[in-house]
Structure formats: structure tokens, C-alpha cells
Amino acid sequence: MLLLTFEGFSPAALSCYGSSWNRTETMDALAASGTTWDRVITSTTAPLAQLDRWLSAPNPAFEGLSLVTDDERLAERSSMERVSELIHVPNREAMVADSIEETTLAALAAVASEQLVAGRDVWLHSRFLTRCWDAPRYLFPIDFFDDLDDGPLDPSETIEEEMRSHGQPVAPQSEHVAAILEGWQPPDCTIANEDDPDWIMAWMRTYGCQIRLIDAVVQLLCDVSADRINEPVVIAGTSGFALGQNNAIGHRSGAIRSCHLHVPFLVGHRQQEDPTTSSPDWAMGVRNRNVMTADQIGNILTQSDDNFVQPDAWAATQEDQSVITDHAGTRIAATTDRWFYVANPSDESTVDGSLYLKPDDACDINDVARLRPETADTMQAWLTD
């Protein structure tokens, strides 16, 4: 098995999850050849705690794996005793790389490739999405016209000048926002009403560039192990990432919303150049749209392959399924097939929490707690009982 997991991994930037502004062709191919779980929710806001939950569960999915990581904290986790080998690859210099080969993720992939060639099952885990955005910026193509100044050549023809000529107040012009940002530090900020809304798109593109780096590395690892077609390739996240939801940009930035808890999870297989080569029976694009806790990932991986495509597994509606998420030892959020409820800190609001309709309200825009108080009360009780 080839398993790749990432801290701060948002499905909003994956085209196989419906992203209209970013392309992830390798992961799209994996999704088309396997199973994608649309609504996997972490049961904790702490990525390390999510890793511990995977390894402490009574299933052998993560046993015997060679774990290659850039996260030095894992060596101190007792749960890591279940992996056969822990290989820590030091981080490279904190800067934007000029090429894929110069990135920390590429260094991890090089070690992982050696393990794959040796016939071992490999787990690659990285936290570069929350620590160093070093992906070369050429990975995200910027349209030529994005950087052009398409304003009128004559300053007297601008709207602002016309408003001034009529004695109307003119708001100060905001600074120009680059189409993609050059800094290596991941953001942790809130976009205020007076800020240029282009900042959100700039951060999204810069994050999308990092996701394209992941996509390129996944392709590299699949090529290295192309002869192991019957063994699955698994991609998952230990935490999400805010990309403008609730005006927040960053890992665990702003108020807790579903973007921080919603992570990708897909199982696919390596593509073969020879069309006559047989593929596994489970190699078909299936989407499971039911809510599922990320804690179940290990259990799913220990199931037989044909369970991935059985209709009773992906077509059944599980309306009673719910996921409770913990934050710093306190139950903070509940997710069901139809609702997402998050408790408000007592010092911020007199209202117990916010309620959002799912899956329609994908970005938690419309709080309907006042319209459905009985539902909000019920879910609040789940968190406090």
C-alpha cells in the first residue's frame, strides 16, 4: 500500500472534489479508478491527535508500514510504535523552491521511492501545508491577462475621476494584489471588510500551487511503483484548511467551521500504460456521499477491496450517522447528513452555537440556528451530555 496523508489538507482545492479553480489530474485519475469519500470529518481539531486515533484503533491498517515524514514531533508519539519504521527527513531551507526537486515534499518522496522499490508498504506524512509553502510558483499557471492593467489609458476617463467631477466622495484605492503570492509562510489571517477581496483569491491560488505539488509527487510515486497495480494508493488529510470561509485564511484560523474539519479521503490504483493489463475488481470511480468520521479510515482500509464498490456501502443513506469533533478536550462541533452545528465560545456570544444546512451550505454562510432552534438544541445537547 502507498498511503499519503497531509496536515492542513483541504478538499476545496482538489478538482476531484469539485474545485473549479485548481486542477489535480493525478488525484482525479485515482478518484476515477477507485472510491472517493465526499464528507470525511475529523473527530478532533488537533492533527497529531487524529494520527493517534488512527494508530490506536484496533485494526492492522497502519501496522508494518514504513513511515516517511517531515514532522519531527511524531518520534515522540507512543502511537508510532505500531509502524515498522519511522524515517524523519529534515526540512529544507524555508524558502520558495525554484523546482519541484528542491522542495521538502520531493525529499520525502525520494526516500519513499526507495522504500517502494524495496517492496515495502509506505506511508508518507507531511505538514508542509501548515509550515512552509515552498512549491515553485510556476506549478499554478497564471493567465497572462490577470496581470494586465485593463483600466483606461486616460486618467480622466476613470470612474473615480468622474465621481470627483460631480463632487461625490471617492473611496481610497486599495493596493494591487498579486495573482499569486511569493512568500513561503502559510497565512493565519482574517480578511476584513475593507480589505481587497482579491486577497482571498491570491491566497487560494498560492495554496492551490502547493496542492499541485502534492499531485506531481503522487504521480512520481505511482510511476515508481507502477508494477504494484493491485495495491491501493490512499490519500487523506489529518486536518482541513480555511480558504476564505468565515473570512479566515489558514490552518485553524478564525472561528471553527466545517472547512477545518472536512478532509479528503480517496482510494485508487496506479494507472497502467498497457490497456490490456487487468485492473482490480474495485477499480472504478465510486463516490460515497455519506458523512463519516476520519477515525474509520483504518477500518475501511482493512476491508476487502470489493467492499469499496458495493452499493450497500456507498449508495445507502445513513441519516443517523453523526460525527462529534473535540477541540482542546471539549466537544465543539457535530456533523450529520443534514446539519453542521458548532458551539460558540461562551465569551463571544450568548447564543449556544451556529447551525448550517448540509450539504447545501458548503461554506457555512447562512446560520439558521434561529430558524431551527429545536435542531440546534438537540445538537447542543449532544455536545454537553
Side-chain angles (χ1 to χ4, degrees), residues 49-110:
Q50 186 61 65
L51 286 172
D52 289 340
R53 286 173 181 263
W54 288 348
L55 288 163
S56 61
N59 64 71
F62 300 95
E63 293 180 355
L65 295 174
S66 295
L67 174 57
V68 182
T69 183
D70 57 7
D71 192 343
E72 65 282 355
R73 302 171 300 175
L74 299 190
E76 303 173 357
R77 314 294 289 193
S78 59
S79 61
M80 294 297 149
E81 295 176 357
R82 294 190 68 179
V83 302
S84 64
E85 184 180 16
L86 176 61
I87 305 173
H88 174 245
V89 178
N91 288 285
R92 298 194 173 184
E93 185 178 357
M95 59 181 293
V96 176
D98 293 327
S99 66
I100 292 177
E101 292 75 17
E102 296 176 358
T103 64
T104 294
L105 188 57
L108 291 174

Side-chain angles (χ1 to χ4, degrees), residues 283-304:
M284 61 182 69
V286 170
R287 303 195 76 92
N288 189 317
R289 303 185 184 277
N290 290 304
V291 170
M292 182 184 75
T293 172
D295 294 354
Q296 293 296 320
I297 289 178
N299 293 333
I300 290 175
L301 296 182
T302 57
Q303 297 175 7
S304 61

Side-chain angles (χ1 to χ4, degrees), residues 324 330-332 341 343 352 377-385:
I324 304 297
T330 302
R331 292 180 172 185
I332 189 67
Y341 178 83
D352 286 338
D377 290 344
T378 298
M379 299 184 78
Q380 175 65 32
W382 294 352
L383 304 181
T384 54
D385 288 348

Side-chain angles (χ1 to χ4, degrees), residues 141-351:
I142 301 299
D143 192 286
F144 172 75
F145 294 101
D146 285 349
D147 288 331
L148 290 181
D149 182 4
D150 56 359
L153 296 178
D154 187 348
S156 65
E157 296 179 3
T158 63
I159 295 177
E160 290 79 11
E161 193 61 33
E162 183 177 349
M163 293 175 66
R164 290 190 185 95
S165 66
H166 289 80
Q168 299 179 11
V170 178
Q173 290 185 330
S174 59
E175 60 179 309
H176 174 71
V177 179
I180 191 166
L181 306 174
E182 295 297 331
W184 62 265
Q185 291 181 313
D188 181 10
C189 60
T190 300
I191 304 298
N193 291 335
E194 60 271 17
D195 291 334
D196 193 321
D198 284 346
W199 278 110
I200 294 180
M201 194 67 238
W203 283 120
M204 289 171 62
R205 285 172 170 152
T206 311
Y207 180 85
C209 184
Q210 317 310 309
I211 300 301
R212 286 175 179 240
L213 172 62
I214 293 176
D215 201 59
V217 166
V218 172
Q219 181 64 63
L220 168 66
L221 294 174
C222 287
D223 291 343
V224 168
S225 57
D227 58 328
R228 302 169 64 174
I229 186 173
N230 288 309
E231 300 175 17
V233 178
V234 183
I235 302 175
T238 58
S239 60
F241 199 95
L243 292 170
Q245 298 92 338
N246 205 39
N247 291 327
I249 306 286
H251 181 242
R252 295 188 291 191
S253 299
I256 293 176
R257 292 294 182 264
S258 56
C259 59
H260 299 102
L261 315 178
H262 184 198
V263 294
F265 176 45
L266 60 94
V267 179
H269 78 101
R270 301 157 180 82
Q271 298 294 305
Q272 290 287 331
E273 295 182 359
D274 184 358
T276 64
T277 303
S278 61
S279 298
D281 293 338
W282 52 271
M284 61 182 69
V286 170
R287 303 195 76 92
N288 189 317
R289 303 185 184 277
N290 290 304
V291 170
M292 182 184 75
T293 172
D295 294 354
Q296 293 296 320
I297 289 178
N299 293 333
I300 290 175
L301 296 182
T302 57
Q303 297 175 7
S304 61
D305 293 341
D306 59 354
N307 284 342
F308 293 159
V309 295
Q310 293 301 313
D312 58 355
W314 59 265
T317 300
Q318 302 174 3
E319 294 184 355
D320 59 341
Q321 181 70 28
S322 63
V323 180
I324 304 297
T325 300
D326 175 273
H327 175 68
T330 302
R331 292 180 172 185
I332 189 67
T335 307
T336 70
D337 182 64
R338 296 186 59 193
W339 302 103
F340 170 66
Y341 178 83
V342 57
N344 290 327
S346 58
D347 60 343
E348 288 189 6
S349 175
T350 57
V351 180

